Amino acid sequence: MKITLYYFKIPFWRAEVTRLSLYIGDIPFEDYRIQGDDYDKFKKTGELPNKKIAPFKQLPVLDVDGKIFAQTGAIARFCGKLSGLYPKNDDYKAALIDQIIEGAQDINYLVTLSGRDKDTERKKIARDILATKHLPKWFQFLENLLKQNTKSIYFVDHDLTIADLAIWRLLGWLKSGMLDGVPTTILDNYGSLNKLREEINKNPKVIKWMDQVYGKTI
Ligand SMILES: N[C@@H](CCC(=O)N[C@@H](CS)C(=O)NCC(=O)O)C(=O)O
């Protein structure tokens, strides 16, 4: 099976959940990062470097033996099944993982909405509401789910899944200081989320990936 993941040249959770899942599972894949002319063409027409058109003119897109499909969750699940980080025969466990990925989508959407206004003053207010109301509410939901799983520090059962990787990278972005109006202390009050982050930061394959691809831990 030949797998190519198309995404932009950034370590964003939408792609990183799949890149890391494949890397952890020792599944070979091409990590195609769209930039330069490829990027301009994609932005104008939705055309990918393999000449196919992205179904929603968005990334990520996965190419599996010449067949393509999009959407972060669909791609992460497909690759998670290959790498052993998503169940093949346990619908309930799969749904528990799915709800976290969908939660990540909801959080991402709130962040996107809060950054849309071109008016600086209105954007500042939107970001303030994001940082003081929306994010704390969603972090608490995630914190509760982590606490409910008494089997491990992960979201579901005993082991790492794509749910953990998605939230790990999403949280890394949210507390990075890159988002205007969202302080780097935003996660300080969430013990279980921090434990999850620390554990994944210590994962030898994650360390190796980060070092090899980005030259640092992010
Ligand atoms: N629902 C999609 C959203 C994907 C998405 O928003 N991708 C962004 C990059 S993070 C994109 O391709 N934006 C370009 C565009 O919308 O023109 C998913 O889950 O993958």
Side-chain angles (χ1 to χ4, degrees), residues 180-198:
D180 295 337
V182 180
T184 54
T185 53
I186 188 86
L187 272 179
D188 284 4
N189 296 331
Y190 306 93
S192 300
L193 284 173
N194 280 311
K195 232 185 257 163
L196 175 76
R197 290 191 67 243
E198 281 160 25

Side-chain angles (χ1 to χ4, degrees), residues 1 4 16 48 58 97 100 112 135 146 156 200:
M1 187 185 282
T4 305
E16 213 64 4
L48 298 162
Q58 289 178 325
I97 297 170
I100 304 295
T112 306
L135 289 180
L146 279 176
V156 183
I200 298 183

Side-chain angles (χ1 to χ4, degrees), residues 2-210:
K2 183 172 179 342
I3 300 175
T4 305
L5 178 72
Y6 292 103
Y7 195 69
F8 304 113
K9 198 174 179 268
I10 47 170
F12 199 52
W13 76 275
R14 290 188 181 288
E16 213 64 4
V17 59
T18 288
R19 291 173 180 146
L20 260 168
S21 159
L22 292 171
Y23 183 71
I24 289 170
D26 292 322
I27 309 292
F29 72 106
E30 185 181 359
D31 183 12
Y32 200 114
R33 296 182 183 229
I34 294 188
Q35 50 187 318
D37 292 346
D38 280 349
Y39 180 85
D40 295 339
K41 192 183 273 179
F42 177 77
K43 275 295 192 189
K44 269 192 218 127
T45 64
E47 187 181 316
L48 298 162
N50 63 3
K51 305 283 178 223
K52 297 199 163 80
I53 302 291
F56 304 105
K57 296 198 174 172
Q58 289 178 325
L59 298 177
V61 167
L62 198 73
D63 182 321
V64 183
D65 291 335
K67 294 187 202 121
I68 64 164
F69 63 96
Q71 296 291 355
T72 303
I75 294 171
R77 282 188 281 275
F78 183 93
C79 293
K81 283 181 198 164
L82 296 175
S83 63
L85 298 187
Y86 187 82
K88 286 184 182 160
N89 297 307
D90 186 335
D91 289 345
Y92 181 62
K93 187 172 166 185
L96 291 178
I97 297 170
D98 291 349
Q99 72 171 347
I100 304 295
I101 304 280
E102 298 302 323
Q105 295 277 23
D106 287 345
I107 294 170
N108 196 148
Y109 185 60
L110 288 169
V111 177
T112 306
L113 273 188
S114 73
R116 252 182 205 165
D117 209 316
K118 296 273 179 280
D119 180 272
T120 329
E121 222 17 68
R122 282 201 304 262
K123 180 175 163 185
K124 197 166 167 297
I125 293 168
R127 276 292 157 84
D128 191 47
I129 295 171
L130 178 77
T132 57
K133 293 210 165 53
H134 295 321
L135 289 180
K137 184 179 86 175
W138 278 90
F139 289 166
Q140 194 57 54
F141 291 151
L142 293 174
E143 180 83 2
N144 294 346
L145 287 168
L146 279 176
K147 286 207 170 87
Q148 275 168 31
N149 182 23
T150 51
K151 295 178 190 162
S152 75
I153 58 100
Y154 299 118
F155 277 107
V156 183
D157 273 1
H158 299 279
D159 300 310
L160 180 80
T161 67
I162 56 169
D164 305 301
L165 291 175
I167 295 299
W168 166 76
R169 195 70 283 278
L170 178 73
L171 296 181
W173 174 51
L174 296 176
K175 79 176 293 291
S176 68
M178 283 163 57
L179 286 164
D180 295 337
V182 180
T184 54
T185 53
I186 188 86
L187 272 179
D188 284 4
N189 296 331
Y190 306 93
S192 300
L193 284 173
N194 280 311
K195 232 185 257 163
L196 175 76
R197 290 191 67 243
E198 281 160 25
E199 193 65 21
I200 298 183
N201 281 338
K202 282 193 300 200
N203 179 306
K205 285 297 274 280
V206 172
I207 292 174
K208 209 166 159 206
W209 171 261
M210 289 299 162

